Amino acid sequence: MRKLLIAASACLMMGAASAQAQTNLSIATGGTGGTYYPLGGGLAELISSEIEGYKAVAEVTGASVENMGLIHRQDSDLAIALADTVHQAYHGGERFNGNKLDVLALASLYPNAVQIVTLADSGVTSLADLKGKRVSVGAPGSGTEVNAKALLESNGMSFEDFDVRSLNFNESADALRDGDIDAGFWSVGPPTSSIVSLANTRDIALVSLSKQEVANAREAVPVFAPYTLRAGIYEGLEAPTSSIGIPNVLTVNSAMSEDLAYKITKLLFEKVEALRAIHPAANDTTVEFSLESTPIPLHPGAVRYYEEIGASIPDNLRP
């Protein structure tokens, strides 16, 4: 009996040691109505099931700007954020009061599209039509807010031109549906669930940008690129919509171990079909897109993976 008790105690101790050895990882995403949260959740499941000793969980956050602070302070281990916000964080841009944050990239996941949504009968058909209206510019500190500000200011407008509402994606959709706002900005990988749901209950319209408005935005923010939302992407939309797109970047702190960064990058690309089953935005999650679109240097562990598969890494992405 004594031997059995000793053996049982040993097993319990081994189990406790195993549990203690497991490291929990936090993935900062965004609101539940966007693309970051489901993709972050999918990545968390992959890490938990495929990388021994680690368990990951996706966290709801205010998205890009907040996420950069979380990474810098190491309050989160990974975070998804828009390329322009990531670029500002790394270089100490205006949004971060000139402070350079400790952030490196593992990959670019997919391009966002700036989507300006209104109801079909609102009379809002252009950026200029937003003047004097009630407009949601995204959650405070979100990448949507940053993109909306840059797009407007590059085209001679500002938040002062209308009644600003700072709502997240689901709140913006609800406010449009209920007539509490006239238009809302989304910067997210299309199609996004909150707009899909809105389009299924109300007749919506997307504001198309002119070639000059796109050119002005790209001159102000080099990470912007022309992007066309295809016809039929949402219920009732029969024509394509001209807009701008911004890559979304998977980021970490430089303190992450090279081995873990390597394993996560490798897992991301080798198991990408699992993410594509969760959200179609992951169709753009490729090595080629990542190395063409990432705006800041890569973590050494990510570099190790790209070199291992024979990819050509641009000099500006090497740490």
Side-chain angles (χ1 to χ4, degrees), residues 134-139 162-168 172 175 180-181 183:
R134 300 163 299 170
V135 182
S136 172
V137 297
F162 47 74
D163 181 2
V164 171
R165 307 293 173 87
S166 298
L167 308 176
N168 66 30
S172 293
D180 294 330
I181 60 173

Side-chain angles (χ1 to χ4, degrees), residues 49-313:
S49 62
E50 301 287 340
I51 302 181
E52 185 177 355
Y54 289 92
K55 181 178 181 181
V57 62
E59 307 282 1
V60 175
T61 71
S64 295
V65 174
E66 179 182 340
N67 289 356
M68 291 298 89
L70 292 170
I71 288 296
H72 176 71
R73 297 189 301 273
Q74 299 186 62
D75 291 332
S76 291
D77 302 285
L78 300 101
I80 307 172
L82 282 166
D84 56 336
T85 305
V86 171
H87 187 271
Q88 282 204 30
Y90 180 81
H91 291 284
E94 176 186 355
R95 190 69 184 179
F96 298 95
N97 300 314
N99 296 311
K100 296 182 179 181
L101 304 193
D102 187 344
V103 56
L104 292 173
L106 297 186
S108 283
L109 301 178
Y110 66 95
N112 261 19
V114 173
Q115 303 166 75
I116 308 171
V117 185
T118 186
L119 297 185
D121 59 0
S122 70
V124 176
T125 61
S126 68
L127 278 184
D129 290 337
L130 295 176
K131 292 182 178 180
K133 299 294 194 299
R134 300 163 299 170
V135 182
S136 172
V137 297
S142 67
T144 293
E145 184 183 64
V146 173
N147 291 162
K149 183 174 186 289
L151 173 60
L152 290 164
E153 291 184 351
S154 66
N155 284 287
M157 295 177 63
S158 74
F159 288 175
E160 295 180 0
D161 289 319
F162 47 74
D163 181 2
V164 171
R165 307 293 173 87
S166 298
L167 308 176
N168 66 30
F169 294 147
N170 287 332
E171 291 168 342
S172 293
D174 290 344
L176 273 170
R177 184 197 62 217
D178 297 339
D180 294 330
I181 60 173
D182 303 295
F185 281 82
W186 273 254
S187 186
V188 63
T192 188
S193 60
S194 49
I195 303 177
V196 169
S197 297
L198 175 64
N200 288 335
T201 58
R202 299 295 299 271
D203 293 333
I204 70 167
L206 296 179
V207 175
S208 194
L209 301 180
S210 69
K211 289 183 178 179
Q212 188 59 56
E213 287 169 341
V214 170
N216 292 344
R218 295 189 70 196
E219 184 176 353
V221 183
V223 297
F224 282 152
Y227 189 92
T228 300
L229 293 146
R230 60 175 175 79
I233 194 166
Y234 298 114
E235 181 72 26
L237 298 184
E238 299 178 356
T241 302
S242 173
S243 189
I244 49 176
I246 313 97
N248 291 280
V249 188
L250 182 62
T251 63
V252 297
N253 189 284
S254 65
M256 177 176 279
S257 74
E258 180 177 328
D259 185 61
L260 179 58
Y262 164 79
K263 287 179 178 177
I264 294 174
T265 309
K266 179 182 175 71
L267 179 66
L268 172 69
F269 290 110
E270 292 190 348
K271 300 290 185 178
V272 70
E273 290 301 329
L275 297 181
R276 290 171 181 165
I278 292 171
H279 199 288
N283 287 326
D284 289 307
T285 304
T286 65
V287 168
E288 293 74 20
F289 174 73
S290 183
L291 295 178
E292 289 172 357
S293 304
T294 300
I296 64 169
L298 298 164
H299 190 284
V303 170
R304 175 180 156 195
Y305 170 74
Y306 293 123
E307 288 181 336
E308 182 179 275
I309 63 172
S312 178
I313 304 172

